[in-house]
Amino acid sequence: MLLNGKVAIVTGGTRGIGFEIVRKYLVNGAKVVLFGSRQETVDKALEKLKEENPQWEVSGMWPELTDALKVGEAVREVKDKYGKIDILVNNAGISQSTPLYDYTTEEFDKIISLNVCALFYAILPAAKIMKEQGGGCIINTSSMVSFTGQSSGVGYPVSKFAVNGMTVSLARELGKDQIRVNAVAPGVTRTDMVAALPRQTVDAISAKIPMGRPGEPEEVADAFLYLASDMARYVTGEILSVDGACRV
Ligand code: NAD
């Protein structure tokens, strides 16, 4: 098992890509604490996982991710419970497709707050713990739009360009502390986030995917497994695309 004995935090772990990351980490021997937005969705996800395997060591919390104090408390609670944090996955995120002239500044602030600031709020306490214990691994969820931009909903690509910037910069800063920092950039992946987009948008993008279909959450989760494992022990500062070569 690739993650035997490792302790992981996965934000946005209640559904979609995050849920599959949690599953994959548990299957590979990790102990996982998933961070969700509400107790009900966290409980539902935990129930599903325990049904699959009652032996899995998994629990959940729902700190407000855009509140630095609450996130710091939650991260330190995980350390107190397990004595360490080996892996932090910053996966929670929202998307936007609002045309510029319809945007409100509140809407723009909201996406930056969750997709960018919340990552920093989790990384700060986690990196301090990882440094103290002699190393660790941080994986952020980016997007294919972090390379291409998108034609509507500018807040989303802006947030994901920032995720890439945070990833490569922190990889350079934290390498000396044996903390690896990488990101996974999924393409169109079949989750609720994509289901919420207009049908024509999804069809138009899917038609341009060289592999001819959207990705599955578990296919994206495999990249998170690789990056968290010792197979990637010398990989840091990497933005790993999992998108069927889609660059639209
Ligand atoms: P999803 O909507 O299915 O899941 C999003 C997760 O984030 C959920 O677990 C949700 O509870 C959590 N979340 C949302 N707002 C939150 C908040 N305020 N506080 C705490 N948790 C919150 O979406 P997904 O497709 O699984 O997306 C996961 C990540 O993948 C996101 O960062 C997204 O930007 C990225 N991504 C998705 C796609 C895609 O096509 N699905 C493509 C590229 C990147």
Side-chain angles (χ1 to χ4, degrees):
M1 288 195 286
L2 290 171
L3 303 181
N4 226 355
K6 303 262 190 203
V7 175
I9 294 174
V10 180
T11 75
T14 56
R15 60 168 200 251
I17 293 169
F19 183 79
E20 290 304 325
I21 298 169
V22 172
R23 260 197 86 249
K24 210 124 298 207
Y25 282 9
L26 290 167
V27 166
N28 280 277
K31 297 169 185 157
V32 182
V33 181
L34 64 89
F35 285 5
S37 50
R38 289 182 295 126
Q39 182 175 2
E40 303 83 70
T41 50
V42 168
D43 286 348
K44 216 172 114 194
L46 292 177
E47 203 180 303
K48 219 166 137 187
L49 292 162
K50 291 281 187 188
E51 227 169 68
E52 189 172 342
N53 188 339
Q55 309 300 325
W56 280 343
E57 198 155 333
V58 58
S59 58
M61 299 172 81
W62 46 96
E64 176 50 60
L65 294 180
T66 58
D67 182 329
L69 283 177
K70 295 273 187 313
V71 176
E73 278 168 19
V75 168
R76 284 186 288 274
E77 214 175 302
V78 175
K79 153 82 163 80
D80 291 345
K81 182 173 177 185
Y82 289 113
K84 61 175 184 169
I85 297 171
D86 299 299
I87 305 157
L88 168 67
V89 174
N90 283 309
N91 167 76
I94 48 172
S95 70
Q96 286 174 356
S97 52
T98 316
L100 181 68
Y101 300 119
D102 297 333
Y103 249 107
T104 61
T105 51
E106 288 79 12
E107 201 182 344
F108 187 82
D109 290 350
K110 186 177 170 197
I111 198 161
I112 299 302
S113 182
L114 182 68
N115 288 16
V116 183
C117 301
L119 276 63
F120 182 76
Y121 299 159
I123 287 172
L124 199 54
K128 287 177 183 167
I129 291 165
M130 289 173 180
K131 181 184 179 198
E132 221 168 81
Q133 72 196 16
C137 156
I138 296 165
I139 312 172
N140 300 319
T141 307
S142 182
S143 165
M144 68 177 184
V145 305
S146 72
F147 305 113
T148 59
Q150 64 185 27
S151 57
S152 192
V154 71
Y156 188 63
V158 164
S159 73
K160 296 302 187 179
F161 271 77
V163 168
N164 292 3
M166 198 179 323
T167 302
V168 296
S169 301
L170 288 179
R172 294 181 64 179
E173 183 171 349
L174 302 180
K176 65 180 183 324
D177 301 320
Q178 305 309 310
I179 301 171
R180 297 186 295 111
V181 189
N182 291 291
V184 174
V188 185
T189 310
R190 287 204 311 138
T191 67
D192 291 354
M193 182 176 276
V194 167
L197 292 173
R199 175 81 209 194
Q200 297 102 305
T201 311
V202 180
D203 286 350
I205 299 171
S206 296
K208 290 181 186 160
I209 300 172
M211 288 198 72
R213 64 171 177 84
E216 297 296 331
E218 53 271 32
E219 292 173 321
V220 177
D222 276 331
F224 284 85
L225 175 60
Y226 161 69
L227 288 171
S229 78
D230 285 346
M231 284 197 297
R233 62 194 173 277
Y234 196 57
V235 178
T236 189
E238 180 66 22
I239 315 293
L240 178 54
S241 290
V242 183
D243 61 4
C246 184
R247 300 288 190 279
V248 291

